[in-house]
Amino acid sequence: MELEVLSLFLQQGIASGLVTGSIYALLALAIVIVFRTTDVANFAEGEVYMASAYLAFFLIAIVSMPFWIAVPATVFAVLIGASLFQRVVLTQVAAAKGVSVNLVIATLGLSYVLKGIVRATGFGDTPRSFPSVMGEGSVTLGSASLTYLDLTILGAALAIMAVFFWMFNYTKIGRAMRAVGMNRRASQLVGINLGHVQMLVWGLSGAISAVAAILIAPKLLMTADMGVVVTLAFAAAIIGGFTSLPGAVVGGFIIGITENLVGLFVSSRAINVAPFVVIMLVLIFMPQGLFGGKVRVRKV
Amino acid sequence: MADLIELVEVSASYGRIEALSGVSLKVSEGKVVALLGANGAGKSTTLNVISGIVPATKGDIRFRGKSIRRLGSDKIVGAGISQVPEGREVFRDMSVHENLLIGAQLRNDRAGIERDIEIMAGHFPVLSKRFKQMAGTMSGGEQQMLLIARALMARPKLLMLDEPSLGLSPLLVQQIFDIIVKLHREEKLTLLIVEQNAAVALAVSDYAYILENGEIAVEGRSADLAHDDSVRNAYLGT
Ligand SMILES: Nc1ncnc2c1ncn2[C@@H]1O[C@H](COP(=O)(O)OP(=O)(O)O)[C@@H](O)[C@H]1O
Ligand SMILES: [Mg+2]
């Protein structure tokens, strides 16, 4: 390969990888905050993402709601839905038999329900294209080129992450979320309402998933199975150590960039395998993930 | 003086195991009360029932005459009851400063919170030098002091301490109890102290209860219990 082509591929791979990676990063954040504060690996994450895209599609294309109303309406609806799922279903399951496997099964149940609903409406029967409000056109950065839509996705995702990190690290409610992630009992003893924090975290996770879905949907053909990309968000979360928020973001970008580089340099057929090779390498050389921290020995 | 907190025939259980059966005790405002007993007697359970972390299956818990039995743990902290738990439960990955801030999670008076952090730095000089350090990296004694300071940040009327001396050197135990007694004197703080170290606890308290298998076996003025030979032989292991 000539040097010029090599450099072009490299730059384009990284640029496109940042765009798709930012979506994996958002979804990985949604998975990690829920896991940290409620100990549940949310196996319905993919379907929350999928259902959010369909809800936005329904509001815009069928109800003819203006885009600027449909987007916040979707995000808000998913926020409420996810909060209620935690409040109504998960607390009941936990109270009935506090085994964490049951909680995971409850999330699997949610994933079937959401898929079922989308299938029942008939919208999921044929692939749909999500309307884009971005104008056509692209920008050249170095020798890489990104469309306006790509730049919007990356910019919006980074902005959401920045706001989220600020909230998590510098506000009172963010401090409560971190506390619940570290020590439930101590959190209760300082007066944190565990139920409220956990419900809020599920709601936020839903809202972030909805934003990710709305951002990326115009680049995809929507189907009821589009939630499978969340496998890659789980991969990102694992690479980052599964409890680290910066880890989830870095993991997301690593997966996105790897996919794109492999697609350009190796073959598009190798794209699906690439993230799992990355996971294996990370787990072999850094079993705690990149940001997982050290194994803790409890002092007695 | 008026009772600040009163437990009336309180029972509690973990699944089928009954940990408390009909425990009655009270702490009057401004007093120091010790709750003693062997390992597994139900001391921590008693504190956790008061804190609303373990539900009472029977009986009632009254704080300033009002039942708090059905309140959530956050409401109980808000009402003025804080617990210093056993087992060094600091927020390990937060700085010392943030651990203090989170102790004031239910308060909104910024200036007051800042002032109280200064006050804590005065009470616990070891903490003031380590505000930026992660709590989990501190020694056992420092973590214990941080836990007490964290609980005080909520400005409680009743402070409950669960085995503050556990695992600490005699010198540190002395230091911690000196601070506790000072707080009691200066801030008129009412204290309920759980201890296995009966000698220390009886020395600082006005009144004491001894728990045995989830029931109050003996109660009386601390000075009397400390000198009662049968009590000393049967419960205090001295
Ligand atoms: N989380 C729990 N689950 C089940 N049993 C418990 C739990 N905590 C305490 N117990 C049991 O309840 C009894 C009282 O325990 P505890 O209140 O911790 O005693 P103490 O603090 O006096 O050592 C013990 O028999 C103990 O084994
Ligand atoms: Mg105990």
Side-chain angles (χ1 to χ4, degrees):
Chain A
M1 221 183 274
E2 276 178 55
L3 207 60
E4 226 168 278
V5 182
L6 199 81
S7 151
L8 170 75
F9 273 20
L10 197 62
Q11 291 185 37
Q12 186 62 51
I14 290 173
S16 307
L18 287 173
V19 174
T20 41
S22 67
I23 297 299
Y24 301 150
L26 285 179
L27 296 172
L29 273 180
I31 292 167
V32 166
I33 52 167
V34 157
F35 183 73
R36 257 174 80 140
T37 45
T38 62
D39 285 331
V40 182
N42 180 12
F43 285 114
E45 177 59 32
E47 281 62 41
V48 171
Y49 158 87
M50 178 274 297
S52 306
Y54 272 98
L55 177 59
F57 171 81
F58 172 77
L59 293 179
I60 294 166
I62 312 295
V63 184
S64 306
M65 221 181 240
F67 195 80
W68 60 272
I69 300 178
V71 168
T74 302
V75 173
F76 188 67
V78 178
L79 186 149
I80 297 295
S83 309
L84 286 178
F85 174 73
Q86 194 281 331
R87 188 66 170 181
V88 178
V89 181
L90 291 185
T91 51
Q92 291 299 319
V93 172
K97 216 173 185 208
V99 189
S100 51
V101 178
N102 292 358
L103 296 172
V104 171
I105 291 171
T107 71
L108 283 174
L110 175 65
S111 80
Y112 282 108
V113 168
L114 290 174
K115 239 184 200 177
I117 291 174
V118 169
R119 290 229 168 89
T121 58
F123 290 125
D125 295 347
T126 48
R128 310 258 168 182
S129 358
F130 193 89
S132 173
V133 288
M134 298 310 302
E136 295 286 313
S138 58
V139 177
T140 312
L141 301 160
S143 38
S145 139
L146 289 179
T147 63
Y148 289 155
L149 177 62
D150 285 338
L151 287 175
T152 309
I153 293 172
L154 184 56
L158 288 175
I160 300 271
M161 287 175 215
V163 169
F164 183 74
F165 275 84
W166 169 78
M167 193 263 329
F168 201 68
N169 288 313
Y170 298 107
T171 68
K172 210 166 165 179
I173 185 66
R175 187 183 299 134
M177 288 177 187
R178 281 181 292 132
V180 170
M182 278 176 227
N183 190 329
R184 305 278 133 87
R185 224 171 75 80
S187 302
Q188 286 180 295
L189 288 178
V190 296
I192 292 169
N193 186 321
L194 219 57
H196 287 179
V197 170
Q198 292 181 327
M199 188 166 97
L200 183 66
V201 165
W202 270 84
L204 265 179
S205 146
I208 293 175
S209 315
V211 171
I214 294 166
L215 285 174
I216 198 74
K219 277 176 79 97
L220 309 169
L221 274 180
M222 292 165 56
T223 70
D225 293 319
M226 67 190 267
V228 292
V229 296
V230 166
T231 319
L232 298 172
F234 269 100
I238 292 170
I239 289 174
F242 219 77
T243 52
S244 160
L245 302 183
V249 169
V250 171
F253 285 124
I254 290 179
I255 297 273
I257 291 170
T258 307
E259 270 192 333
N260 278 277
L261 289 179
V262 167
L264 289 170
F265 284 99
V266 186
S267 135
S268 60
R269 267 175 284 168
I271 289 179
N272 290 338
V273 195
F276 300 99
V277 175
V278 177
I279 292 192
M280 301 235 273
L281 289 176
V282 168
L283 292 185
I284 288 169
F285 292 106
M286 302 187 75
Q288 301 287 314
L290 297 180
F291 290 72
K294 294 167 274 318
V295 181
R296 255 187 215 128
V297 183
R298 244 189 106 85
K299 260 194 249 163
V300 185
Chain B
M1 226 185 273
D3 293 334
L4 189 57
I5 190 149
E6 185 180 15
L7 272 65
V8 185
E9 299 283 319
V10 169
S11 299
S13 42
Y14 299 100
R16 288 213 194 121
I17 306 160
E18 183 154 80
L20 295 182
S21 24
V23 168
S24 296
L25 62 82
K26 50 188 169 188
V27 184
S28 302
E29 195 145 11
K31 296 287 180 200
V32 181
V33 170
L35 181 59
L36 311 173
N39 209 359
K43 305 181 296 296
S44 299
T45 305
T46 306
L47 297 195
N48 285 329
V49 166
I50 298 173
S51 285
I53 288 181
V54 173
T57 49
K58 280 195 213 114
D60 199 13
I61 305 155
R62 300 199 194 107
F63 185 65
R64 295 185 150 152
K66 285 206 204 93
S67 176
I68 55 164
R69 180 181 161 189
R70 300 194 186 279
L71 294 186
S73 50
D74 54 325
K75 297 283 188 305
I76 289 172
V77 175
I81 302 178
S82 289
Q83 184 191 148
V84 178
E86 64 183 337
R88 313 278 181 270
E89 295 197 36
V90 294
F91 294 105
R92 302 184 59 91
D93 300 330
M94 283 186 193
S95 68
V96 168
H97 185 246
E98 237 190 341
N99 267 274
L100 293 176
L101 281 176
I102 207 165
Q105 187 75 0
L106 290 176
R107 294 169 56 185
N108 288 311
D109 54 326
R110 277 196 172 209
I113 292 171
E114 284 309 318
R115 200 167 52 236
D116 282 356
I117 286 183
E118 293 299 315
I119 293 174
M120 291 311 143
H123 285 311
F124 305 94
V126 277
L127 298 183
S128 68
K129 291 178 217 127
R130 298 162 177 264
F131 270 1
K132 295 223 169 82
Q133 188 176 332
M134 289 295 136
T137 65
M138 298 202 304
S139 73
E142 291 159 356
Q143 290 191 18
Q144 187 63 53
M145 296 196 195
L146 177 57
L147 283 180
I148 297 172
R150 187 183 75 191
L152 290 171
M153 287 300 297
R155 289 245 175 129
K157 299 286 174 289
L158 172 68
L159 182 68
M160 308 190 291
L161 299 120
D162 197 347
E163 304 210 27
S165 74
L166 193 71
L168 300 183
S169 70
L171 188 67
L172 270 171
V173 172
Q174 192 57 50
Q175 268 185 27
I176 284 182
F177 270 86
D178 283 348
I179 295 170
I180 294 172
V181 168
K182 185 165 162 238
L183 286 166
H184 163 68
R185 293 226 177 94
E186 290 177 2
E187 322 258 331
K188 309 261 178 294
L189 195 61
T190 305
L191 299 172
L192 176 57
I193 305 176
V194 161
E195 265 301 338
Q196 281 196 61
N197 187 339
V200 179
L202 288 177
V204 300
S205 57
D206 303 298
Y207 200 82
Y209 295 86
I210 302 180
L211 264 177
E212 197 180 25
N213 295 326
E215 294 180 47
I216 302 286
V218 180
E219 66 177 280
R221 292 183 26 182
S222 302
D224 298 343
L225 294 189
H227 297 107
D228 184 316
D229 285 341
S230 61
V231 168
R232 286 171 60 151
N233 292 336
Y235 300 106
L236 309 180
T238 48

